[in-house]
Amino acid sequence: MEKVKMTENLYFSRIIQGFWRLAEWKMSDQELLTFIENCMEMGITTFDHADIYGNYTCEYLFGRALKQKSVLRHQIQLVTKCGIKPISDEYPERYVVHYDTSKNHIIQSVEQSLKNFGTDYIDVVLIHRPDPFMNPEEVAEAFTQLKKEGKVLYFGVSNFLPSQFHMLSSYLDFPLVTNQIEVSVIQLEHFEKGTIDLCQEKRIAPMVWSPLAGGKIFTSETEQAIRLRATLKRVAREIGANSIDQVMYAWLLVHPAKLLPIVGSGKLERVQVAVESVKLQMDRQQWFSILESSKGHPVP
Amino acid sequence: MEKVKMTENLYFSRIIQGFWRLAEWKMSDQELLTFIENCMEMGITTFDHADIYGNYTCEYLFGRALKQKSVLRHQIQLVTKCGIKPISDEYPERYVVHYDTSKNHIIQSVEQSLKNFGTDYIDVVLIHRPDPFMNPEEVAEAFTQLKKEGKVLYFGVSNFLPSQFHMLSSYLDFPLVTNQIEVSVIQLEHFEKGTIDLCQEKRIAPMVWSPLAGGKIFTSETEQAIRLRATLKRVAREIGANSIDQVMYAWLLVHPAKLLPIVGSGKLERVQVAVESVKLQMDRQQWFSILESSKGHPVP
Amino acid sequence: MEKVKMTENLYFSRIIQGFWRLAEWKMSDQELLTFIENCMEMGITTFDHADIYGNYTCEYLFGRALKQKSVLRHQIQLVTKCGIKPISDEYPERYVVHYDTSKNHIIQSVEQSLKNFGTDYIDVVLIHRPDPFMNPEEVAEAFTQLKKEGKVLYFGVSNFLPSQFHMLSSYLDFPLVTNQIEVSVIQLEHFEKGTIDLCQEKRIAPMVWSPLAGGKIFTSETEQAIRLRATLKRVAREIGANSIDQVMYAWLLVHPAKLLPIVGSGKLERVQVAVESVKLQMDRQQWFSILESSKGHPVP
């Protein structure tokens, strides 16, 4: 599979495997290790996490599986996130979902991620959400210290709009290497708000979460979903895709911004569907007819 | 008529004549040549086209008229556009309006425009619409090649929001010389979205399409149109304008951003109305009372 | 009270006293002088005005009080604004609220402010509103001349969105030192439009008008107001605030962007309420629970 250069010395696989729902997969350590190795055989080397996934359990489950074959660590890129503090029985003192991008919290969260993964470095750490209460000097101090200590190699953000990206960047001595954003055939917000434009301007490849829109398209009976399913089915036939989710992946993969879809499923056959989408071609009319079906009107 | 410096060695006339509807004017080559010469006598030297106008016929009609007196070529500035692929019987394979800003399409489209116009260079080529599927590297390659070959002297964009303008600019070794946008007393979008601010920041004069809002104000019975007509009539009396469309032109012409209205009519007397608007003065109260009538409330 | 460095050689007090409603306070010169001195004893040294406040009377009233003890002038920072031309019996020729950021008007307005205040310099002059008819070259000429003459030490803006801030800045040889914006627990616009992000990016501290939302929260019976009152009361108890307006001030004061609230009241006890808010602490959960109550939903 194609590797995408994120910055000097950092390459991501074109398809990224996400572990948001890992705790629900109910895999034994051995099953998870096999899953990881199967992903790697398909060319997926980049794995996406967050401190909070699975009520703070997913990093640990992943790390425990990885420990069985620690040679794998240096063949993969580990991405994780920090900055959200959800309501959680692990933290009974919390009574409101909030963000924490203080120096202390970033460092503590990363230290915990290192322990969870059983590794001594994380490839990329992202600020999970733009924090309206952000002290960018503290973020910069945390990032700089973690980088200097070798605990984190690179930093990025997630769900940041352009003004937020510019602001944080201005406090850093090094570039943010990615912005992980939600994009799909029904989530066009970041086309409209300039986020994708900015990624292209800054030459950074966005990681894309929820590339299949959480499955809404498959079952929803809205006019938009009905229109989209018809168009996706037609394009599937035309480009030789096996299913409409392959077309949804391809719609992202053929875009010049080098969008990197994150697969959310723990079923190997679903991962394979994404991986095989990389080979699909799509012409401009197909791409725009999907856009038109999403919007409900042609481009002007 | 005032010339506006667009960049080194490029001057536009303050009023631009547009040929969007040329095919509907049903002029003979001789009539069109006379029309062009009459425009030039009034000081209009800049002529706006697009590959697609008149279902791909307008450039050719213009070129055929121009051929009769080819000395005119070097006294005028030809502007044209590419990047939209509309549904058209000329291209029966198209089933959805879409954009194409690929290197191939830009170059092919410009080559065709050169043939249509019967000229060996175009003064300015614009990307007609911001393409959500744009590969800015390809656009830059196309522009650079066309510039190097002397086929296009300068490049610009049309309908680009600030994030799109910044993005494409970052791939070019030369500045974009204009952004052609829709502005009128009832189309204020680009005041609100920062587009005009960016033009002022970048010291580029925007070309303005639909400066009379497509005539809606003259006949519409919306509250906004009724309010605007009353205010435009009052201001017409006050500033010595002959008609409310002159006031609509003047409202653009007196703005410090050096907005360059494109006249859409093929009737010489309508062109003259625009040209004579250049001499009109308008004070701040008049300008803001038109703005207020458009918005329906005073500025805060 | 903490001083905030605005730029080289310019420090503002953390709390700013505003004189928008001074004309309504019906103070004698002596009462006003005492009020000013009382403010200064509490640490407030920055005083906010505008040419138009009190139908053009507030600067003069302030100046007359100050004249009684002119030694105070050099212990305070005077901020005033220009650029709005409201309907006013002082200017019977006006029939529409409008803006005027012409060179002439800026200079005349500042000259008048100098006379009103009875001073030979103003610390900071702000453009009161982004003017859609702005000629930034004229603004730059006016600013440069006033600076050169020593009549104004620094310049800023008010209510400017990012595109407007960038645009004007590009015409100036010196940085704008502040953007005075409306922010409160119910006015979150500038969090959403990137204005606060830009202030943090540019390292400028925003002055904040209407920090108590004009009192709407105290009496309104909207769902939002009811929710907010409950949360503000809880937080007041938790952080030891005497009233919910102290919590509203603290919500701004603890924000890392160094928001500088402008007190609008002429009652010393209300000013004291603001001043004492500076000592309050607020943790992230408290801050976000107020945000959540304002929005009606938790952060994502």
Side-chain angles (χ1 to χ4, degrees):
Chain A
M1 190 189 299
E2 183 197 350
K3 298 277 166 203
V4 175
K5 182 172 186 170
M6 303 300 286
T7 186
E8 282 308 310
N9 299 318
L10 180 69
Y11 292 79
F12 276 6
S13 54
R14 194 62 213 270
I15 299 288
I16 292 168
Q17 179 62 36
F19 292 90
W20 174 39
R21 292 181 172 284
L22 168 56
E24 300 168 27
W25 299 345
K26 307 293 179 201
M27 289 180 181
S28 69
D29 291 355
Q30 184 51 51
E31 283 167 338
L32 178 52
L33 179 64
T34 304
F35 179 76
I36 294 168
E37 291 188 300
N38 286 334
C39 286
M40 294 176 70
E41 275 157 30
M42 290 190 280
I44 298 177
T45 59
T46 307
F47 298 102
D48 183 65
H49 288 266
D51 55 347
I52 58 171
Y53 286 169
N55 193 20
Y56 294 91
T57 63
C58 293
E59 290 180 335
Y60 174 71
L61 294 171
F62 187 92
R64 215 169 56 187
L66 200 64
K67 206 180 338 185
Q68 301 171 91
K69 197 163 176 186
S70 56
V71 66
L72 295 183
R73 173 63 191 95
H74 300 288
Q75 302 167 28
I76 65 175
Q77 300 82 45
L78 277 180
V79 180
T80 195
K81 315 185 191 76
C82 63
I84 303 182
K85 286 186 166 172
I87 306 287
S88 162
D89 49 15
E90 296 290 310
Y91 296 91
E93 72 280 12
R94 292 191 198 153
Y95 59 87
V96 61
V97 191
H98 61 289
Y99 301 149
D100 188 346
T101 55
S102 65
K103 181 176 177 183
N104 272 351
H105 178 66
I106 293 172
I107 289 175
Q108 272 176 23
S109 179
V110 169
E111 300 278 10
Q112 185 59 48
S113 295
L114 289 168
K115 267 188 224 161
N116 292 341
F117 285 133
T119 181
D120 54 358
Y121 74 99
I122 293 163
D123 295 86
V124 183
V125 165
L126 313 179
I127 298 294
H128 206 149
R129 289 269 176 193
D131 176 4
F133 196 66
M134 183 184 289
N135 184 333
E137 293 182 358
E138 289 204 27
V139 177
E141 283 176 29
F143 281 9
T144 303
Q145 178 178 322
L146 290 165
K147 202 179 175 77
K148 204 173 288 179
E149 295 172 347
K151 290 175 179 166
V152 180
L153 305 187
Y154 304 98
F155 296 93
V157 292
S158 186
N159 305 300
F160 271 47
L161 295 178
S163 65
Q164 298 153 346
F165 190 96
H166 283 299
M167 191 272 272
L168 180 55
S169 295
S170 80
Y171 285 85
L172 300 175
D173 295 330
F174 36 82
L176 297 165
V177 300
T178 192
N179 190 2
Q180 183 175 126
I181 54 182
E182 185 185 4
V183 189
S184 69
V185 297
I186 60 170
Q187 175 48 280
L188 305 173
E189 175 188 6
H190 294 293
F191 283 101
E192 288 149 14
K193 293 190 172 166
T195 322
I196 292 174
D197 292 327
L198 182 61
C199 288
Q200 289 185 286
E201 182 185 333
K202 297 290 181 192
R203 279 69 168 167
I204 65 174
M207 300 169 74
V208 169
W209 63 272
S210 217
L212 302 181
K216 272 171 276 183
I217 284 165
F218 304 106
T219 53
S220 170
E221 288 302 322
T222 64
E223 280 186 37
Q224 186 195 36
I226 293 166
R227 267 194 325 261
L228 264 169
R229 274 200 298 273
T231 304
L232 292 167
K233 276 179 196 168
R234 172 181 56 76
V235 175
R237 281 193 304 275
E238 291 171 2
I239 67 176
N242 295 319
S243 58
I244 66 172
D245 45 354
Q246 284 205 319
V247 182
M248 292 168 76
Y249 281 122
W251 191 81
L252 299 169
L253 288 162
V254 298
H255 191 280
K258 294 226 175 97
L259 305 167
L260 307 171
I262 301 169
V263 180
S265 172
K267 292 185 187 149
L268 211 60
E269 63 273 21
R270 306 308 305 147
V271 182
Q272 200 157 5
V273 157
V275 169
E276 284 169 1
S277 309
V278 173
K279 291 174 295 188
L280 293 170
Q281 303 288 318
M282 186 181 295
D283 68 27
R284 284 173 178 270
Q285 289 209 80
Q286 289 155 342
W287 198 89
F288 277 89
S289 64
I290 293 168
L291 184 72
E292 177 181 316
S293 297
S294 177
K295 288 174 177 272
H297 57 79
V299 293
Chain B
M1 188 189 300
E2 181 198 351
K3 298 278 166 201
V4 175
K5 182 171 185 171
M6 303 300 286
T7 187
E8 283 308 310
N9 300 318
L10 180 69
Y11 292 79
F12 276 5
S13 55
R14 193 62 214 269
I15 299 288
I16 293 168
Q17 180 61 38
F19 292 90
W20 174 40
R21 293 180 171 285
L22 168 56
E24 301 168 26
W25 300 344
K26 307 291 177 202
M27 290 181 179
S28 70
D29 291 356
Q30 184 51 51
E31 284 166 338
L32 178 53
L33 179 63
T34 303
F35 179 76
I36 294 169
E37 291 188 299
N38 286 333
C39 285
M40 293 177 70
E41 276 157 29
M42 291 190 281
I44 297 177
T45 59
T46 307
F47 298 103
D48 183 66
H49 287 267
D51 55 347
I52 58 172
Y53 287 169
N55 194 19
Y56 294 91
T57 63
C58 293
E59 290 180 333
Y60 174 72
L61 294 171
F62 187 92
R64 215 169 56 187
L66 198 66
K67 206 181 335 186
Q68 299 170 92
K69 197 164 176 185
S70 57
V71 67
L72 296 183
R73 173 63 192 95
H74 300 288
Q75 302 168 29
I76 65 175
Q77 301 81 45
L78 277 180
V79 180
T80 196
K81 314 183 193 78
C82 63
I84 303 183
K85 287 186 166 172
I87 305 289
S88 163
D89 50 16
E90 295 291 308
Y91 297 91
E93 72 280 12
R94 292 192 198 154
Y95 58 88
V96 62
V97 192
H98 62 289
Y99 302 147
D100 188 346
T101 55
S102 66
K103 182 176 177 184
N104 272 350
H105 178 66
I106 293 171
I107 289 175
Q108 272 177 23
S109 179
V110 169
E111 301 277 11
Q112 185 60 47
S113 296
L114 288 168
K115 267 187 225 161
N116 292 341
F117 286 133
T119 181
D120 55 359
Y121 73 100
I122 294 163
D123 295 86
V124 183
V125 165
L126 313 178
I127 299 294
H128 207 149
R129 289 268 176 193
D131 176 4
F133 196 67
M134 183 184 288
N135 184 334
E137 293 182 358
E138 288 203 28
V139 177
E141 282 176 31
F143 281 9
T144 303
Q145 178 178 323
L146 290 164
K147 201 178 176 78
K148 202 172 291 179
E149 296 172 345
K151 291 174 179 166
V152 180
L153 306 187
Y154 304 98
F155 296 92
V157 293
S158 186
N159 306 300
F160 270 47
L161 295 177
S163 64
Q164 297 153 348
F165 190 96
H166 283 299
M167 190 273 274
L168 179 55
S169 294
S170 79
Y171 284 84
L172 300 174
D173 295 330
F174 36 81
L176 297 165
V177 302
T178 192
N179 189 2
Q180 183 175 127
I181 54 182
E182 186 186 4
V183 190
S184 70
V185 298
I186 60 169
Q187 175 48 279
L188 305 173
E189 174 188 6
H190 293 295
F191 284 101
E192 289 150 14
K193 294 190 172 167
T195 322
I196 292 174
D197 292 326
L198 182 62
C199 288
Q200 289 185 284
E201 182 185 334
K202 296 290 180 191
R203 278 71 169 167
I204 64 174
M207 301 170 73
V208 169
W209 61 273
S210 216
L212 302 182
K216 272 171 276 181
I217 285 166
F218 304 107
T219 52
S220 170
E221 288 302 322
T222 64
E223 281 185 37
Q224 186 195 35
I226 293 166
R227 266 194 326 260
L228 265 169
R229 275 201 298 274
T231 303
L232 292 167
K233 277 179 194 166
R234 172 181 55 76
V235 175
R237 282 193 305 274
E238 292 171 2
I239 68 177
N242 295 319
S243 58
I244 65 171
D245 46 354
Q246 283 205 318
V247 183
M248 292 168 76
Y249 281 123
W251 191 81
L252 298 168
L253 288 162
V254 299
H255 190 282
K258 295 227 175 94
L259 304 168
L260 308 171
I262 301 169
V263 179
S265 173
K267 292 183 185 151
L268 212 60
E269 62 272 22
R270 306 308 305 148
V271 181
Q272 201 157 3
V273 158
V275 169
E276 285 169 0
S277 309
V278 172
K279 292 175 294 192
L280 294 170
Q281 303 289 318
M282 186 181 296
D283 68 26
R284 284 174 180 270
Q285 289 208 78
Q286 289 156 342
W287 198 89
F288 276 91
S289 64
I290 293 168
L291 184 72
E292 177 181 315
S293 296
S294 177
K295 288 174 177 273
H297 57 79
V299 293
Chain C
M1 189 189 300
E2 182 197 350
K3 298 277 167 204
V4 175
K5 182 171 186 171
M6 302 300 286
T7 185
E8 283 307 310
N9 300 317
L10 180 69
Y11 291 79
F12 276 6
S13 55
R14 193 63 213 270
I15 299 288
I16 293 168
Q17 179 61 37
F19 291 90
W20 174 38
R21 293 181 172 282
L22 169 56
E24 301 168 27
W25 299 345
K26 308 291 179 203
M27 289 180 181
S28 70
D29 291 355
Q30 185 52 51
E31 283 167 339
L32 178 53
L33 179 64
T34 303
F35 178 77
I36 295 169
E37 290 189 299
N38 285 333
C39 285
M40 293 175 71
E41 277 157 29
M42 290 191 281
I44 298 178
T45 60
T46 307
F47 298 103
D48 183 66
H49 288 266
D51 55 347
I52 58 172
Y53 287 169
N55 195 19
Y56 294 91
T57 63
C58 293
E59 289 180 335
Y60 174 70
L61 294 172
F62 187 92
R64 215 169 57 187
L66 199 65
K67 208 183 334 188
Q68 299 172 90
K69 197 164 178 186
S70 57
V71 66
L72 295 184
R73 173 64 191 95
H74 300 289
Q75 301 166 29
I76 65 175
Q77 300 82 45
L78 277 180
V79 180
T80 194
K81 316 184 191 76
C82 63
I84 302 183
K85 287 186 165 172
I87 306 289
S88 162
D89 50 17
E90 296 291 309
Y91 296 92
E93 73 279 12
R94 292 191 198 154
Y95 58 87
V96 62
V97 192
H98 61 289
Y99 302 148
D100 188 346
T101 54
S102 65
K103 181 177 177 184
N104 273 349
H105 178 66
I106 292 172
I107 288 174
Q108 274 178 23
S109 179
V110 169
E111 301 277 12
Q112 186 59 48
S113 296
L114 288 169
K115 269 187 222 160
N116 292 341
F117 285 133
T119 182
D120 55 359
Y121 73 99
I122 293 164
D123 296 271
V124 183
V125 164
L126 313 179
I127 298 295
H128 206 149
R129 288 270 175 194
D131 176 4
F133 197 66
M134 182 184 290
N135 184 333
E137 291 182 0
E138 290 204 27
V139 178
E141 282 175 30
F143 281 9
T144 303
Q145 178 178 322
L146 290 165
K147 201 177 176 80
K148 204 173 285 180
E149 296 173 347
K151 290 175 180 168
V152 180
L153 305 187
Y154 304 97
F155 295 93
V157 292
S158 187
N159 305 301
F160 271 47
L161 294 178
S163 65
Q164 298 154 346
F165 190 97
H166 283 299
M167 190 273 272
L168 180 54
S169 294
S170 79
Y171 284 84
L172 301 174
D173 294 331
F174 35 82
L176 297 165
V177 301
T178 192
N179 189 1
Q180 183 175 126
I181 53 181
E182 185 186 4
V183 190
S184 69
V185 298
I186 60 169
Q187 176 46 280
L188 305 173
E189 175 188 5
H190 294 295
F191 283 102
E192 287 149 14
K193 293 189 172 167
T195 321
I196 293 174
D197 292 326
L198 182 62
C199 288
Q200 290 186 284
E201 182 185 332
K202 296 291 182 192
R203 278 70 168 165
I204 65 174
M207 301 170 74
V208 169
W209 63 273
S210 217
L212 302 182
K216 271 170 277 181
I217 284 166
F218 304 107
T219 52
S220 170
E221 288 302 323
T222 63
E223 279 185 39
Q224 186 195 36
I226 292 165
R227 266 195 325 260
L228 265 169
R229 274 201 299 274
T231 304
L232 292 166
K233 276 178 194 167
R234 172 180 56 76
V235 175
R237 282 193 305 274
E238 291 172 1
I239 68 176
N242 295 319
S243 58
I244 65 170
D245 44 355
Q246 284 205 318
V247 182
M248 291 167 76
Y249 281 122
W251 190 81
L252 298 168
L253 289 162
V254 299
H255 190 280
K258 294 227 174 95
L259 304 168
L260 307 171
I262 301 169
V263 179
S265 173
K267 293 186 185 147
L268 211 60
E269 62 273 21
R270 307 307 306 147
V271 181
Q272 201 157 4
V273 157
V275 169
E276 285 169 0
S277 309
V278 173
K279 291 174 296 192
L280 293 170
Q281 304 289 317
M282 186 181 294
D283 68 25
R284 285 173 179 269
Q285 289 208 79
Q286 288 155 344
W287 198 89
F288 277 90
S289 63
I290 293 167
L291 184 72
E292 177 181 316
S293 296
S294 177
K295 287 174 177 271
H297 57 79
V299 293

